[in-house]
Amino acid sequence: MNRRQRLILAGRHLFAAKGYSAAGVREIAAEAGVSIGLIRTHFGSKAGLREEIDRQVIAQIEDLCSRASEHLGTEALDLLVEDAVEWVERERDALLYVRAALMEKTPGSQALLRQLLEIMRRFVALNRERGLLQDDVDEEWAATFLVIDFLGPAVLEPFSEEEFGMSMYHREMVKRRSAFMNRVVTQGFMKS
Amino acid sequence: MNRRQRLILAGRHLFAAKGYSAAGVREIAAEAGVSIGLIRTHFGSKAGLREEIDRQVIAQIEDLCSRASEHLGTEALDLLVEDAVEWVERERDALLYVRAALMEKTPGSQALLRQLLEIMRRFVALNRERGLLQDDVDEEWAATFLVIDFLGPAVLEPFSEEEFGMSMYHREMVKRRSAFMNRVVTQGFMKS
DNA sequence: TCGTATACGATACGATCGTATACAGGGGCA
DNA sequence: TGCCCCTGTATACGATCGTATCGTATACGA
């Protein structure tokens, strides 16, 4: 892997772990195994590095989004969910970067959130078209709900080990959680 | 208000708005209208100031929690929700501070999250005792779900104006949201 | 009224921040 | 071979960070 990409991955990791302000350029360069000057050479500045990271992460999510749109059959929904779960497992750093990026309002983080909303709006619309949506559902809030639900575990992840005894993305955790969420979206958990 | 408390409020506001690392002690002192030295005098250090803010915010949430426990009648649930909504409206800065605090793992932020979980566990247990819970509900995940749902709007708040045209805590937004959430917890929004 | 502790402000200090500059190797092309 | 751009490193620079120090004002008990 070339040094430019090494810098991007190191930056993504450190921004995700400590936040943009707390992660220094020297630390990033050290983790990437290159010298500080390269950040300026390739990205102009620390902010430029963040913008490039934003671009790559947004591209990943866009990819996730467009792949689901390609399959316009009955299996589109399952594919979308499957893709998303697989992506979270494979690119945990990217997800944790999204978490960190949303902590401060930048053009990049706004775009990230918009992408997520777009995916979820599409998901809700697909469900409606397939007749899987209940009547009179506030679709905009349904999409927002799904975004919150997608980001929630990432937000809690750093505390998960101490609070629940395991990672939010541990297999058992994912299983319990998806069982609960399946129940919630189809029938809720409280009597009316 | 004495200068010590002014520093606490200014710190809470700036930590919430820009994050702990990005908010400087000079900036905090300026917003409080005092000199930098006072932070050291009263709290020892910037980290000490954060700890004091954590203590105060945790105390607020504890207060919220214990007030609900006092009313052990049928109206306990409504009172808890009412109190929480009123608190969010009155102390928006505190809520946004919780949001920011959860971005980095410190003893204070861990305690904050634990408090929130405790409130929600109690809420779920109260519902069960009153027979309002459906059968075979995973109560631990229900509480976690409620925490995520409580924090979600705070996480999205900085982007809300641009994405939805108004604040997450605008009256109309709150109304639509609580209508949707009521529906979700009692019957979901998708057919099974 | 005096002594002392506390509250507070101004400023200095060392470290670290992000950025700028100077320079070294290494292919591609005339 | 000579020139040049590109990638890369090492180091210097100015700003700003959190913290420490010192001087002064104010309040309070003897």
Side-chain angles (χ1 to χ4, degrees):
Chain A
M1 191 179 309
N2 65 22
R3 290 160 194 258
R4 183 186 147 93
Q5 192 60 24
R6 290 229 303 273
L7 272 172
I8 290 175
L9 290 187
R12 196 181 70 175
H13 177 240
L14 285 168
F15 289 159
K18 330 177 45 174
Y20 177 75
S21 304
V25 288
R26 284 165 183 81
E27 193 181 4
I28 294 172
E31 176 163 322
V34 304
S35 80
I36 338 166
L38 262 196
I39 292 179
R40 178 176 160 81
T41 305
H42 285 300
F43 313 104
S45 67
K46 184 187 181 185
L49 170 59
R50 167 163 68 178
E51 286 167 22
E52 180 57 30
I53 296 172
D54 283 339
R55 263 190 292 274
Q56 291 207 0
V57 174
I58 290 173
Q60 284 191 22
I61 299 183
E62 244 166 9
D63 196 49
L64 214 62
C65 192
S66 67
R67 215 176 317 149
S69 313
E70 286 169 10
H71 315 279
L72 276 177
T74 50
E75 76 282 4
L77 296 184
D78 310 317
L79 281 175
L80 176 55
V81 173
E82 225 172 75
D83 279 3
V85 168
E86 190 264 345
W87 179 77
V88 166
E89 280 182 2
R90 181 168 37 88
E91 297 273 7
R92 183 150 324 161
D93 254 16
L95 178 64
L96 292 180
Y97 177 79
V98 172
R99 170 198 132 97
L102 290 183
M103 280 310 103
E104 43 189 318
K105 197 190 169 193
T106 65
S109 60
Q110 185 93 39
L112 274 168
L113 176 62
R114 180 162 299 152
Q115 277 293 320
L116 288 177
L117 268 170
E118 208 43 57
I119 289 188
M120 295 311 178
R121 287 194 186 107
R122 205 169 301 196
F123 181 81
V124 171
L126 269 169
N127 271 284
R128 175 175 24 80
E129 287 162 16
R130 291 180 59 195
L132 287 176
L133 223 57
Q134 295 178 11
D135 295 333
D136 303 321
V137 169
D138 186 334
E139 295 192 20
E140 183 64 10
W141 260 107
T144 309
F145 169 84
L146 290 172
V147 169
I148 290 174
D149 175 61
F150 176 76
L151 293 175
V155 170
L156 300 190
E157 171 64 11
F159 309 96
S160 181
E161 197 67 43
E162 201 148 342
E163 221 56 53
F164 306 113
M166 67 184 79
S167 159
M168 289 304 270
Y169 298 103
H170 186 286
R171 188 166 303 275
E172 188 186 332
M173 208 67 166
V174 171
K175 208 174 127 198
R176 271 182 74 184
R177 172 177 152 68
S178 68
F180 179 79
M181 288 311 297
N182 271 335
R183 181 206 186 105
V184 168
V185 299
T186 54
Q187 64 170 104
F189 61 94
M190 288 179 64
K191 299 179 182 169
S192 50
Chain B
M1 192 180 306
N2 66 22
R3 288 155 197 261
R4 183 186 149 92
Q5 192 60 23
R6 289 228 303 273
L7 271 172
I8 290 175
L9 290 186
R12 196 181 70 176
H13 177 240
L14 285 169
F15 288 160
K18 328 176 51 175
Y20 177 75
S21 304
V25 289
R26 286 166 182 80
E27 194 181 4
I28 294 171
E31 176 162 321
V34 303
S35 82
I36 338 166
L38 265 194
I39 291 179
R40 179 173 158 83
T41 303
H42 285 300
F43 312 104
S45 68
K46 184 188 181 186
L49 171 60
R50 168 163 68 177
E51 285 167 22
E52 179 58 30
I53 295 172
D54 283 339
R55 263 190 291 275
Q56 291 206 359
V57 175
I58 290 172
Q60 283 190 23
I61 298 182
E62 245 167 8
D63 196 50
L64 214 61
C65 193
S66 65
R67 215 176 315 151
S69 313
E70 288 170 8
H71 314 279
L72 277 177
T74 50
E75 76 281 5
L77 296 184
D78 311 316
L79 281 175
L80 176 54
V81 173
E82 226 171 73
D83 279 2
V85 169
E86 189 263 345
W87 179 76
V88 166
E89 281 183 359
R90 180 168 39 87
E91 298 273 5
R92 183 150 324 161
D93 254 16
L95 178 64
L96 292 179
Y97 177 78
V98 172
R99 171 196 131 97
L102 290 184
M103 280 311 102
E104 43 190 318
K105 197 190 169 193
T106 64
S109 61
Q110 184 94 39
L112 274 168
L113 176 63
R114 180 163 298 152
Q115 277 293 320
L116 289 177
L117 269 170
E118 208 41 58
I119 290 188
M120 296 310 180
R121 288 194 184 109
R122 204 169 301 197
F123 181 82
V124 171
L126 270 168
N127 271 284
R128 174 176 26 79
E129 287 163 16
R130 291 180 59 195
L132 288 176
L133 222 57
Q134 296 177 10
D135 294 333
D136 302 321
V137 169
D138 186 334
E139 295 192 21
E140 184 64 9
W141 260 107
T144 308
F145 170 83
L146 290 172
V147 169
I148 290 174
D149 175 61
F150 176 76
L151 293 175
V155 170
L156 300 190
E157 171 64 13
F159 310 95
S160 181
E161 197 68 43
E162 203 149 338
E163 221 56 53
F164 305 113
M166 68 183 80
S167 161
M168 290 303 270
Y169 296 103
H170 186 287
R171 188 166 302 277
E172 188 186 331
M173 209 68 167
V174 171
K175 209 173 127 196
R176 272 183 74 184
R177 173 176 150 69
S178 68
F180 178 79
M181 288 311 297
N182 271 335
R183 180 206 186 105
V184 167
V185 297
T186 54
Q187 64 170 104
F189 61 94
M190 287 179 64
K191 298 179 184 170
S192 48

